[in-house]
Amino acid sequence: MQFDTVIHDGTVVTTSDTVKADIGITDGRITAIAERLAGGAQRIDAGGRLVLPGGIEAHAHIAQESSSGVMGADGYLSGSISAAFGGNSSFIPFAAQHRGQSIDEVISTYDARAAESVLDYSYHLIISDPTPEVLNDQLPRAFARGITSFKVFMTYDMMNIGDGGMLDILTVARAHGAITMVHAENNDMIKWMNKRLANAGLTAPKYHAISRPELAEEEAINRAISLAKLVDAPLFIVHVSTAGGAAIVQREILAGTRLFAETCPQYLALTRDDLDRPGMEGAKYICSPPLRDTATQDALWRHVQSGTFTSVSSDHAPYRYDDTGKFLNGRDVAYPKISNGMPGIGARLPYLFSEGVVKGRISLQQFVGLSASNAARTFGMTQKGSIAVGLDADIAIWDPETTRKITLADQHDNMDYTPFEGMELTGVPETVLNRGAVIVHKGQLHAQKGQGRFVARAPMDLRGAGHLVKERDVTVNFGAKI
Ligand code: URP
Ligand code: ZN
Ligand code: ZN
């Protein structure tokens, strides 16, 4: 067989196996896996290296305006390059509807923005205005194009769609086999806390952590799950930041609820003390939900280990430490006026590999699941997320031994800081391939702007899903078809 590329002498890892094998690639796809493969127009020596599925970043804000209209620092070019240097072969950023916009307009706006991507991509659609046209016509049209995940917010006044809006979206998603993602925080609890902190004159960045209580996340996760259960729809809780929230997710998964969740490196690595840095430095660490404490970190790691989380995602939301980003509303403003979010798309996998695999918290199989395979399965990227004959040759070759310090320059994004600066990590994604093309090799970018392609995603397989609640079950609800 003729191969365009052969990756040889590496240790190939999937969620089920670790084997010494060579990989043959033809026309962007894996066409052979064998003990020894000869030939190949290009041969990549993976001796002493781990050959893993290229990461899939399932939570990133790229070329996206925030709820208050602030454009993030990374577009699809810098965002995808940073992701590639961090071991990713594809990503699924958000395409955000702001009120009054049609979903068709949103998708064509993001199609133009994403044309620069060096990675394959799709979008999760953020819905902030679920009008009848959106629900009945526009979302089904988006779905038919292969956009099979919708995201909603329970907080942020400009995005929060209320419980009724969520039920409507969950119902449309259920009808089509789409999955609904949710940012779960109780909006009124946060507004109430904000008012009390403002009245007490407590405005420094550190009070951001106080303003969004753990209970606000726990309550909203519980409520989101109840809403999803009422319509028997699958649900994905994004950026879980609390022990209580993770415990609810774990309990519901064990009870058979069709539920998925992620946490992020910032909740495992940083704490609210980072918000208490001198001057306004704490602004760099403002994200929502906020950073918590070391006891929470321990609890979240246990949930990573025991399988509560489908993935560990970055929630890359890049606002520079200047007046284009964090301080768009001024430098000496109260914490609610500081842009929410922190970067991390390039650091996600090196962090998870080093703190997870190298420190012995998770196995290589778990790393592969949390970094790529589970997201591929959950979000319908059927051609990606593993190493098998027939799949796209999306591969990351890791040097598992080299230790380096995280620096801003290594992130290759458009940011002026990294919250992970100086952290010492072992394991480097040395070579990254997207559909068979080497895009990063030994610290050099080899990709062409715009070589990434849109990935049409498959619906979720809902066989055996969930439970019909009594009140909606025609056999016991007096025959009401609702
Ligand atoms: O603070 C964050 N995470 N900003 C990005 C938007 C979101 O809530 O995910
Ligand atoms: Zn969020
Ligand atoms: Zn986010």
mmCIF file of all heavy atoms in Angstrom, residues 59 151 153 156 183 238-239 288 315, ligand 2:
data_model
loop_
_atom_site.group_PDB
_atom_site.id
_atom_site.type_symbol
_atom_site.label_atom_id
_atom_site.label_comp_id
_atom_site.label_asym_id
_atom_site.label_seq_id
_atom_site.Cartn_x
_atom_site.Cartn_y
_atom_site.Cartn_z
ATOM 1 N N HIS A 59 -14.564 23.667 24.277
ATOM 2 C CA HIS A 59 -15.109 24.888 24.903
ATOM 3 C C HIS A 59 -14.108 26.024 24.724
ATOM 4 O O HIS A 59 -13.140 26.145 25.484
ATOM 5 C CB HIS A 59 -15.395 24.654 26.388
ATOM 6 C CG HIS A 59 -16.124 25.781 27.063
ATOM 7 N ND1 HIS A 59 -16.988 25.590 28.123
ATOM 8 C CD2 HIS A 59 -16.148 27.114 26.829
ATOM 9 C CE1 HIS A 59 -17.489 26.745 28.510
ATOM 10 N NE2 HIS A 59 -16.983 27.699 27.743
ATOM 11 N N LYS A 151 -26.061 25.978 23.013
ATOM 12 C CA LYS A 151 -25.681 26.358 24.379
ATOM 13 C C LYS A 151 -26.577 27.478 24.893
ATOM 14 O O LYS A 151 -26.913 28.403 24.148
ATOM 15 C CB LYS A 151 -24.227 26.821 24.421
ATOM 16 C CG LYS A 151 -23.792 27.197 25.839
ATOM 17 C CD LYS A 151 -22.347 27.623 25.882
ATOM 18 C CE LYS A 151 -21.969 28.098 27.279
ATOM 19 N NZ LYS A 151 -20.756 28.907 27.273
ATOM 20 N N PHE A 153 -27.492 30.045 28.524
ATOM 21 C CA PHE A 153 -26.973 30.630 29.757
ATOM 22 C C PHE A 153 -28.104 30.813 30.762
ATOM 23 O O PHE A 153 -29.182 31.262 30.401
ATOM 24 C CB PHE A 153 -26.355 32.010 29.471
ATOM 25 C CG PHE A 153 -25.024 31.948 28.777
ATOM 26 C CD1 PHE A 153 -24.954 31.854 27.395
ATOM 27 C CD2 PHE A 153 -23.832 31.984 29.497
ATOM 28 C CE1 PHE A 153 -23.726 31.792 26.753
ATOM 29 C CE2 PHE A 153 -22.603 31.923 28.851
ATOM 30 C CZ PHE A 153 -22.551 31.831 27.478
ATOM 31 N N TYR A 156 -25.956 36.043 33.264
ATOM 32 C CA TYR A 156 -25.672 37.187 32.381
ATOM 33 C C TYR A 156 -27.014 37.707 31.828
ATOM 34 O O TYR A 156 -27.674 37.005 31.039
ATOM 35 C CB TYR A 156 -24.754 36.838 31.189
ATOM 36 C CG TYR A 156 -23.418 36.209 31.485
ATOM 37 C CD1 TYR A 156 -22.950 35.140 30.718
ATOM 38 C CD2 TYR A 156 -22.591 36.682 32.498
ATOM 39 C CE1 TYR A 156 -21.709 34.557 30.955
ATOM 40 C CE2 TYR A 156 -21.347 36.103 32.740
ATOM 41 C CZ TYR A 156 -20.916 35.046 31.972
ATOM 42 O OH TYR A 156 -19.699 34.460 32.199
ATOM 43 N N HIS A 183 -24.456 26.973 30.784
ATOM 44 C CA HIS A 183 -23.688 27.686 31.805
ATOM 45 C C HIS A 183 -24.651 27.850 32.975
ATOM 46 O O HIS A 183 -25.598 28.633 32.904
ATOM 47 C CB HIS A 183 -23.207 29.041 31.274
ATOM 48 C CG HIS A 183 -22.516 29.882 32.315
ATOM 49 N ND1 HIS A 183 -21.350 30.574 32.048
ATOM 50 C CD2 HIS A 183 -22.801 30.159 33.613
ATOM 51 C CE1 HIS A 183 -20.960 31.236 33.132
ATOM 52 N NE2 HIS A 183 -21.840 30.998 34.099
ATOM 53 N N VAL A 238 -21.406 22.856 31.366
ATOM 54 C CA VAL A 238 -20.048 23.344 31.080
ATOM 55 C C VAL A 238 -19.379 23.851 32.355
ATOM 56 O O VAL A 238 -20.031 24.154 33.349
ATOM 57 C CB VAL A 238 -20.048 24.462 29.993
ATOM 58 C CG1 VAL A 238 -20.599 23.928 28.675
ATOM 59 C CG2 VAL A 238 -20.799 25.697 30.437
ATOM 60 N N HIS A 239 -18.095 23.938 32.308
ATOM 61 C CA HIS A 239 -17.207 24.478 33.345
ATOM 62 C C HIS A 239 -17.705 24.321 34.791
ATOM 63 O O HIS A 239 -17.889 25.291 35.517
ATOM 64 C CB HIS A 239 -16.798 25.919 33.059
ATOM 65 C CG HIS A 239 -17.889 26.908 32.748
ATOM 66 N ND1 HIS A 239 -19.036 27.012 33.489
ATOM 67 C CD2 HIS A 239 -17.970 27.871 31.790
ATOM 68 C CE1 HIS A 239 -19.774 27.990 32.996
ATOM 69 N NE2 HIS A 239 -19.168 28.523 31.963
ATOM 70 N N SER A 288 -16.000 33.333 34.999
ATOM 71 C CA SER A 288 -17.238 32.870 35.610
ATOM 72 C C SER A 288 -17.579 31.484 35.107
ATOM 73 O O SER A 288 -17.541 31.261 33.899
ATOM 74 C CB SER A 288 -18.386 33.823 35.267
ATOM 75 O OG SER A 288 -18.113 35.080 35.816
ATOM 76 N N ASP A 315 -12.259 26.521 28.231
ATOM 77 C CA ASP A 315 -13.067 27.753 28.346
ATOM 78 C C ASP A 315 -12.194 28.974 28.015
ATOM 79 O O ASP A 315 -12.225 29.986 28.707
ATOM 80 C CB ASP A 315 -13.706 27.896 29.729
ATOM 81 C CG ASP A 315 -14.762 29.015 29.749
ATOM 82 O OD1 ASP A 315 -15.072 29.576 28.683
ATOM 83 O OD2 ASP A 315 -15.257 29.325 30.853
HETATM 84 ZN ZN ZN B 2 -19.856 30.040 30.714
#
